[in-house]
Amino acid sequence: MSSPASTNASQAMPPSKEMLFTLDNPVFCCYLFWATVLVVKMLLMSLLTALQRFRYKLLGLVPLALRRKIFPNEEDLFFKNLEVKFDDPHVERVRRAHRNDMENILPYFIMSLIYISTNPNADVACNLFRVAGVARIIHTLVYAVYPVPQPSRILAFATMLCITFYMGAVVALRTLSFI
């Protein structure tokens, strides 16, 4: 039977190189959780776009003549007297937020995996993942769900961007000697 001191010492040991991308590594587990949150958030953006297309039709709060039914494709026009429309401001705002997610979250995912391969401090890495995930959720809320004036959106955007650059710098500094 092992002593409590040896058990605590084994828990504090960083994962071996073979175990960096397994569920035994708390950094990788934290990454998996927050990556899943962000993927689900991005999938929900597609549903939010559809909701914006049918916004008042679904809610039934506005008279029939004023309800929005916005469709970008001819084959989607299953209502009478509708036209293809590409420039609805509500739909376009959500689409821009979704595109911004794809432009920023996907590189973040890749950089995060590369960062995990450097075996970072678990507390630092997990806090980076948490802050980045929450920042993107806030970005979506202040951009697409309930628009708020700047600088709210730029702060949320810059938070994840800075975290991604930080992880890139850590990777570069740790691998510089191998070049």
Side-chain angles (χ1 to χ4, degrees):
M1 184 180 249
S2 63
S3 69
S6 66
T7 304
N8 288 341
S10 66
Q11 290 174 352
M13 293 289 294
S16 67
K17 299 294 183 200
E18 299 83 31
M19 298 182 63
L20 286 175
F21 296 102
T22 68
L23 295 179
D24 294 326
N25 181 358
V27 173
F28 187 62
C29 288
C30 189
Y31 167 79
L32 289 177
F33 174 80
W34 285 102
T36 302
V37 168
L38 291 174
V39 167
V40 169
K41 186 198 85 60
M42 289 175 65
L43 291 171
L44 290 174
M45 292 298 290
S46 298
L47 296 177
L48 185 58
T49 303
L51 181 64
Q52 290 296 335
R53 293 186 192 284
F54 288 99
R55 189 171 174 183
Y56 298 120
K57 173 115 178 90
L58 289 176
L59 298 176
L61 301 175
V62 177
L64 187 60
L66 298 176
R67 291 180 187 172
R68 288 183 21 233
K69 294 169 261 182
I70 292 105
F71 301 97
N73 304 307
E74 289 275 341
E75 62 271 13
D76 296 337
L77 300 177
F78 49 87
F79 295 108
K80 295 179 182 177
N81 302 325
L82 293 178
E83 296 178 12
V84 173
K85 187 172 181 180
F86 296 103
D87 60 351
D88 181 76
H90 301 287
V91 173
E92 290 306 311
R93 176 176 284 279
V94 175
R95 286 171 41 118
R96 285 190 309 269
H98 193 189
R99 186 177 60 231
N100 187 281
D101 278 352
M102 290 185 287
E103 292 169 352
N104 292 282
I105 292 175
L106 298 178
Y108 165 79
F109 285 161
I110 294 167
M111 184 52 64
S112 295
L113 286 172
I114 297 168
Y115 176 69
I116 292 169
S117 72
T118 66
N119 199 9
N121 177 284
D123 292 331
V124 172
C126 288
N127 283 323
L128 289 173
F129 299 148
R130 290 176 188 123
V131 171
V134 170
R136 285 314 296 189
I137 292 168
I138 290 171
H139 182 270
T140 297
L141 292 174
V142 300
Y143 190 7
V145 177
Y146 185 77
V148 175
Q150 292 287 18
S152 58
R153 193 171 79 222
I154 192 70
L155 291 173
F157 165 80
T159 301
M160 179 181 258
L161 186 66
C162 289
I163 288 171
T164 305
F165 280 132
Y166 169 80
M167 288 191 278
V170 168
V171 170
L173 291 173
R174 290 190 182 171
T175 58
L176 197 57
S177 63
F178 299 102
I179 295 178

